[in-house]
């Protein structure tokens, strides 16, 4: 006999718990299933712990620069990794237990700890019990990809998950992968005091960004003593006495990097291979992502997929936005929300952070639009000079005809906050002249937006 629910949610990532609350508030009986830690990646091994660690690393960095600001330091700055980890555990742990507590306190919500598998398009098995519903929401997220590198199983390696247990200072951390996860850990551990080498297969860091962005990020990292090996086409791993040899076979420099620890940061894979999707008839693409339409419905009526597992976003905000789209389309008769309406936006939390909204230069060129662009170095922004954080630049591209903002990558102190000024203008479908005519607070980075916009020139 199957236990019937009005809705079943698999996974407690960034969409599932909020959806459970909304469904219950609408009078539905809900089952929510979690196989591991409540709150998923962001809470336990992603955003919250990494940004907490980054805060410790920033404090260490600033303390080392104390003399620049007129401080008199009595000794070298050293980092107690056990205390750094304890702070991270406390902050992430509070979120983790908060998610579980909120779910367990929801009336009419049954919380089940166990691994869920589809038995059919209407039934799910968990802990040998069959649950049934005509509405099933999949929010199973993803995990670190472990590529078939030569020797990968002959050496101990770290991923973003096992990095959470590190309470010591690696002597030399070699990071395979020069994108968001790798760069955040790289700068963080360098600031804690490790030697760090980043090995990237492609010709530049954060390869999806424009070249000037990649170059600026590289300059920031190299200025802190991080070694960067690009074009590492054939990466291999091997034991070398007590160390790990990362073979890079690059065109340039030594063919091997010897490190004490290796972190694999080479992308994510969706948690869909052990979900019984074939029994439900739910289609996935070649990489295992669940295929959804713009309302996040799968090919099987009554089954939705939200968050990283649908391949339509890989961020906490995209997963949460998925929840809002699904819930509004279910309950708000006037709203018809769609993934197609959202504007691409994200941040890389290096210091200074890269924040992006809208298109890259390459995407603008490909779109064939007539565009104008302005770029401004941070060394000419008063707030940045005052703070002693002058690396990076502000850049804005607009449509020459409509005056709408097309894209704005910026590597700027406080950038992860000020990028929202432009993002909100884009959502409002207002021309850039609105920002240009607004009066902003002095001294801020935001007050420079009108100055940058006054320099718009035809797109090169
Ligand atoms: C190191 C790192 C840093 C990051 N930093 C940021 C950041 O700063 N900003 C940002 O926006 N994003 C960041 N992300 C991405 C962000 O963490 C994810 O996009 C976000 O967690 C969305 O996840 P989700 O809702 O899809 O599911 P997840 O959070 O991955 O949760 C899925 C849940 O489903 C559970 N589950 C899986 N399969 C089953 C099953 N069969 N049965 C029951 N339960 C199951 C899992 O145990 C997990 O708890 C980061 C990611 C990493 C790895």
């Amino acid at each position: 006999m199957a236990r019937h629910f009005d809705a079943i949610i698999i996974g407690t990532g960034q969409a599932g718990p909020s959806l459970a609350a909304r469904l219950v508030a609408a009078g539905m009986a809900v089952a929510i299933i979690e196989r591991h830690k409540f709150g998923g990646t962001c809470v336990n091994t992603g955003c919250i712990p990494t940004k907490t660690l980054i805060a410790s690393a920033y404090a260490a960095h600033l303390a080392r620069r104390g003399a620049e600001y007129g401080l008199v330091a009595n000794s070298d700055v050293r980092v107690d990794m056990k205390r750094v980890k304890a702070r991270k555990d406390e902050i992430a742990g509070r979120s983790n237990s908060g998610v579980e507590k909120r779910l367990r306190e929801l009336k009419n919500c049954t919380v089940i700890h166990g691994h869920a598998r589809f038995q059919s398009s209407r039934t799910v098995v968990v802990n040998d019990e069959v649950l049934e519903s005509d509405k099933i929401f999949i929010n199973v997220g993803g995990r670190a990809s472990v590529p078939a590198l030569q020797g990968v199983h002959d050496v101990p390696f770290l991923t973003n998950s096992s990095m959470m247990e590190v309470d010591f200072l690696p002597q030399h951390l070699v990071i395979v992968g020069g994108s968001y996860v790798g760069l955040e850990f790289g700068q963080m551990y360098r600031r804690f005091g490790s030697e760090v080498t980043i090995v990237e297969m492609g010709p530049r860091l954060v390869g999806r960004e424009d070249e000037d962005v990649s170059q600026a990020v590289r300059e920031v990292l190299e200025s802190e003593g991080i070694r960067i090996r690009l074009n590492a086409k054939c990466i291999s791993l091997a034991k070398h006495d007590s160390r790990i040899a990362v073979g890079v076979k690059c065109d340039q420099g030594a063919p091997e990097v010897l490190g004490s620890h290796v972190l694999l940061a080479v992308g994510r894979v969706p948690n869909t291979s052990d979900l019984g999707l074939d029994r439900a008839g739910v289609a996935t693409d070649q990489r295992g992502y669940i295929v959804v339409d713009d309302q996040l419905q799968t090919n099987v009526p009554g089954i939705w997929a939200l968050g990283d597992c649908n391949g339509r976003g890989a961020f906490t905000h995209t997963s949460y936005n998925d929840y809002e789209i699904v819930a509004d389309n279910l309950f708000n008769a006037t709203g018809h929300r769609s993934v197609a309406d959202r504007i691409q936006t994200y941040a890389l939390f290096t210091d200074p952070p890269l924040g992006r909204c809208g298109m890259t230069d390459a995407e603008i060129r490909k779109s064939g639009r007539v565009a104008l662009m302005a770029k401004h170095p941070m060394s000419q922004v008063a707030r940045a000079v005052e703070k002693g954080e002058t690396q990076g630049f502000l850049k804005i591209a607009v449509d020459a005809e409509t005056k709408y903002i097309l894209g704005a990558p910026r590597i700027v102190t406080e950038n992860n906050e000020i990028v929202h000024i432009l993002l909100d203008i884009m959502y409002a479908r207002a021309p850039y002249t609105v920002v240009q005519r607004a009066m902003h607070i002095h001294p801020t980075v935001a007050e420079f937006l009108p100055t940058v916009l006054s320099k718009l020139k035809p797109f090169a």
Side-chain angles (χ1 to χ4, degrees):
M1 262 287 280
R3 192 152 46 135
H4 182 81
F5 291 91
D6 297 324
I8 297 172
I9 301 170
I10 306 174
T12 64
Q14 293 303 304
S18 303
L19 184 62
R22 187 89 172 255
L23 297 176
V24 164
M28 295 169 76
V30 174
I32 187 162
I33 308 158
E34 173 54 57
R35 71 175 178 189
H36 190 40
K37 289 188 174 176
F38 287 85
T41 309
C42 180
V43 164
N44 299 292
T45 60
C47 342
I48 292 181
T50 55
K51 272 73 232 181
T52 305
L53 293 168
I54 283 172
S56 292
Y58 179 70
H61 178 67
L62 216 49
R64 282 193 197 101
R65 291 182 60 200
E68 285 177 47
Y69 297 87
L71 306 189
V72 182
N74 292 327
S75 63
D76 282 349
V77 174
R78 280 184 302 109
V79 176
D80 179 340
M81 289 302 290
K82 287 201 168 25
R83 283 168 68 181
V84 166
K85 178 176 178 293
R87 178 176 184 273
K88 180 271 292 175
D89 286 345
E90 205 273 315
I91 290 172
R94 228 185 298 149
S95 288
N96 160 259
S97 54
V99 173
E100 179 169 5
K101 185 167 176 286
R102 272 196 303 281
L103 283 172
R104 292 200 186 278
E105 283 173 358
L106 277 181
K107 285 208 174 71
N108 233 357
C109 179
T110 303
V111 180
I112 303 172
H113 213 209
H115 181 101
R117 272 190 190 81
F118 280 92
Q119 191 186 54
S120 73
S121 63
R122 292 286 168 269
T123 52
V124 166
V125 180
V126 55
N127 303 334
D128 297 329
E129 187 184 10
V130 181
L131 315 181
E132 178 198 50
S133 180
D134 58 7
K135 286 188 181 56
I136 302 178
F137 303 92
I138 307 171
N139 179 217
V140 292
R143 61 186 185 281
S145 160
V146 178
L149 302 173
Q150 189 189 326
V152 70
H153 295 297
D154 302 337
V155 298
F157 60 81
L158 293 154
T159 65
N160 70 288
S161 297
S162 47
M163 283 300 284
M164 296 298 121
E165 302 312 314
V166 172
D167 64 354
F168 57 88
L169 196 63
Q171 186 263 324
H172 183 176
L173 181 63
V174 182
I175 300 175
V176 180
S179 198
Y180 305 87
V181 172
L183 301 189
E184 288 184 6
F185 275 114
Q187 191 180 45
M188 179 199 302
Y189 271 83
R190 181 67 193 138
R191 289 178 171 194
F192 287 153
S194 295
E195 270 182 70
V196 172
T197 303
I198 296 173
V199 176
E200 163 58 41
M201 281 186 167
R204 54 195 173 87
L205 299 177
V206 278
R208 261 177 280 163
E209 299 296 330
D210 292 312
E211 276 184 36
D212 56 351
V213 172
S214 294
Q215 183 56 28
V217 171
R218 180 180 179 165
E219 281 166 17
V220 167
L221 298 178
E222 286 184 334
S223 72
E224 294 187 22
I226 295 174
R227 285 190 289 266
I228 293 167
R229 299 296 309 268
L230 301 173
N231 298 306
K233 294 271 183 313
C234 326
I235 298 170
S236 62
L237 303 174
K239 276 207 180 112
H240 191 283
D241 301 328
S242 61
R243 290 183 291 174
I244 300 167
V246 181
V248 290
K249 295 185 185 154
C250 300
D251 300 338
Q252 24 168 308
E256 235 175 34
V257 180
L258 282 182
S260 59
H261 296 80
V262 171
L263 164 64
L264 295 185
V266 282
R268 313 270 304 159
V269 288
N271 291 325
T272 53
S273 58
D274 51 4
L275 201 51
L277 289 174
D278 50 336
R279 270 171 265 150
V282 173
T284 55
D285 69 12
Q286 282 176 338
R287 295 188 301 151
Y289 289 99
I290 298 171
V291 178
V292 289
D293 64 16
D294 284 349
Q295 279 70 46
L296 305 164
Q297 300 192 68
T298 68
N299 61 313
V300 177
I303 304 182
W304 288 257
L306 301 86
D308 288 10
C309 68
N310 66 24
R312 301 293 295 266
F315 299 98
T316 282
H317 46 274
T318 48
S319 180
Y320 188 79
N321 188 248
D322 284 359
Y323 140 67
E324 293 182 318
I325 290 170
V326 168
D328 274 13
N329 289 340
L330 281 174
F331 298 121
N332 185 351
T334 55
H336 181 75
R337 291 181 67 172
S338 160
V339 178
D341 295 336
R342 67 187 179 203
I343 297 165
Q344 163 160 259
T345 189
Y346 50 78
L348 161 67
F349 289 87
T350 47
D351 170 35
L354 159 70
R356 154 172 301 287
C357 57
M359 294 191 266
T360 62
D361 294 358
E363 286 165 344
I364 293 171
R365 269 190 207 98
K366 208 169 149 198
S367 76
R369 289 166 199 253
V370 181
L372 303 173
M373 191 206 284
K375 196 169 167 182
H376 194 83
M378 284 304 282
S379 54
Q380 290 173 19
V381 174
R383 178 73 178 148
V385 174
E386 288 150 10
K387 288 182 75 184
E389 297 184 346
T390 53
Q391 289 167 308
F393 57 78
L394 291 150
K395 190 161 87 169
I396 307 177
V398 306
D399 187 304
E401 205 177 306
T402 62
K403 297 190 167 41
Y404 291 151
I405 294 165
L406 296 175
R410 46 237 342 270
I411 302 169
V412 169
T413 180
E414 293 166 20
N415 184 37
N416 40 325
E417 301 295 338
I418 65 163
V419 74
H420 290 96
I421 296 169
L422 300 177
L423 185 64
D424 290 345
I425 286 287
M426 290 169 85
Y427 273 111
R429 294 197 68 74
Y432 73 82
T433 46
V434 171
V435 183
Q436 209 172 20
R437 287 176 194 165
M439 182 178 75
H440 298 101
I441 295 169
H442 173 76
T444 58
V445 177
E447 74 175 327
F448 261 79
L449 292 176
T451 309
V452 180
L453 287 164
S454 71
K455 294 176 165 186
L456 287 168
K457 287 198 185 80
F459 207 72

